[in-house]
Amino acid sequence: MTSTKMADRKATLDAASWMFNVVTSVGIILVNKALMAKYGFTFATTLTGLHFGTTTLLTFLLRRLGYIQASHLPFSELLKFVLFANFSIVGMNVSLMWNSVGFYQIAKLSMIPVSCFLEVVLDKVRYSRDTKLSIVLVLLGVAVCTVTDVSVNAKGFIAALVAVWSTSLQQYYVHFLQRNYSLGSFNLLGHTAPAQAASLLLLGPFLDYWLTGKRVDAYGFSPTSLDSFSLVRRVSIYK
């Protein structure tokens, strides 16, 4: 295979991967929102735990197939990552539950300047003038949306704020762990997914009860909602 054909093949695979990531990202958001708004499953933390339970099963399968090799991650680093990651995903789900899909997506754009800020403070990264102007435009857009979106409320805004900062910290820590412990993405997922699933499924029902005043075991499951759960779990595997 010539170098040109190899480059074309790589470009095609990259484009397909990006498209698949976009489709699954949007799909899981819409299905999660439907579970919360249409079917009344407002237990965002428990739902996140179910996502990671499915991801854990996938990592076990990938390890058996040889796609995940043995690696080491200190327990203290794993605990810190799980703390950031759990706040991130629970915050995102609670933000989705308390905000419109539009504001939820706009708020996620705030992670760009926050991530840049963390790199400047922690890694002494310096950005060009054009990059700084782009960040200013993102912040202006988020500010305009926040002011003009009538659906924004105080608790939804706080949830979005927690979600943005914790997600930015989690993304920074992903790069930190991969760089310092030579971990690939699947290797890191193999370490973190079981810990996240266990912690979220253990604490999720209590946190959800505190947030919503409802018990997950009292939820009236229906065939339609169970089909939605099944779809969410399948999409979370590929995501």
Side-chain angles (χ1 to χ4, degrees):
M1 184 178 292
T2 65
S3 58
T4 303
K5 289 183 177 179
M6 290 180 64
D8 291 342
R9 183 172 181 270
K10 182 179 184 303
T12 302
L13 289 174
D14 288 344
S17 299
W18 277 103
M19 183 61 67
F20 187 72
N21 184 62
V22 170
V23 171
T24 53
S25 296
V26 173
I28 200 168
I29 289 170
L30 293 177
V31 175
N32 277 347
K33 187 65 176 179
L35 281 170
M36 295 173 183
K38 185 175 180 180
Y39 299 108
F41 191 85
T42 56
F43 312 102
T45 315
T46 303
L47 182 60
T48 306
L50 292 173
H51 290 332
F52 275 100
T54 306
T55 304
T56 298
L57 295 177
L58 178 63
T59 59
F60 287 158
L61 176 62
L62 291 175
R63 185 175 286 110
R64 293 292 298 272
L65 294 175
Y67 290 101
I68 297 180
Q69 285 73 39
S71 56
H72 173 68
L73 180 64
F75 185 68
S76 59
E77 300 282 24
L78 176 62
L79 283 181
K80 285 187 284 187
F81 178 87
V82 168
L83 180 65
F84 292 143
N86 283 357
F87 266 106
S88 165
I89 299 174
V90 172
M92 282 296 179
N93 275 350
V94 172
S95 174
L96 180 61
M97 180 172 64
W98 286 345
N99 294 309
S100 66
V101 174
F103 181 76
Y104 167 82
Q105 293 285 38
I106 290 295
K108 286 175 67 176
L109 289 176
S110 303
M111 290 188 297
I112 298 172
V114 172
S115 296
C116 293
F117 172 78
L118 291 174
E119 287 189 326
V120 168
V121 172
L122 300 176
D123 291 338
K124 310 302 179 185
V125 173
R126 292 293 177 262
Y127 290 99
S128 67
R129 179 174 175 272
D130 290 342
T131 301
K132 292 176 182 177
L133 288 175
S134 300
I135 292 172
V136 170
L137 289 176
V138 170
L139 289 173
L140 286 175
V142 172
V144 169
C145 179
T146 303
V147 172
T148 58
D149 192 338
V150 295
S151 66
V152 177
N153 54 72
K155 65 178 184 179
F157 180 80
I158 293 172
L161 193 65
V162 171
V164 165
W165 275 93
S166 56
T167 301
S168 299
L169 283 167
Q170 184 236 355
Q171 290 178 348
Y172 174 84
Y173 211 55
V174 165
H175 295 297
F176 173 83
L177 293 177
Q178 289 180 326
R179 182 173 64 245
N180 286 272
Y181 297 99
S182 302
L183 295 172
S185 56
F186 280 121
N187 294 92
L188 183 60
L189 193 63
H191 286 289
T192 59
Q196 287 184 260
S199 58
L200 290 172
L201 289 175
L202 179 64
L203 299 175
F206 300 101
L207 181 58
D208 288 331
Y209 180 75
W210 177 67
L211 289 170
T212 66
K214 301 177 183 178
R215 292 170 44 185
V216 65
D217 61 310
Y219 176 75
F221 291 93
S222 66
T224 307
S225 63
L226 289 174
D227 287 341
S228 299
F229 277 116
S230 178
L231 177 61
V232 166
R233 288 196 291 269
R234 288 198 295 271
V235 173
S236 68
I237 287 177
Y238 297 114
K239 182 67 181 69

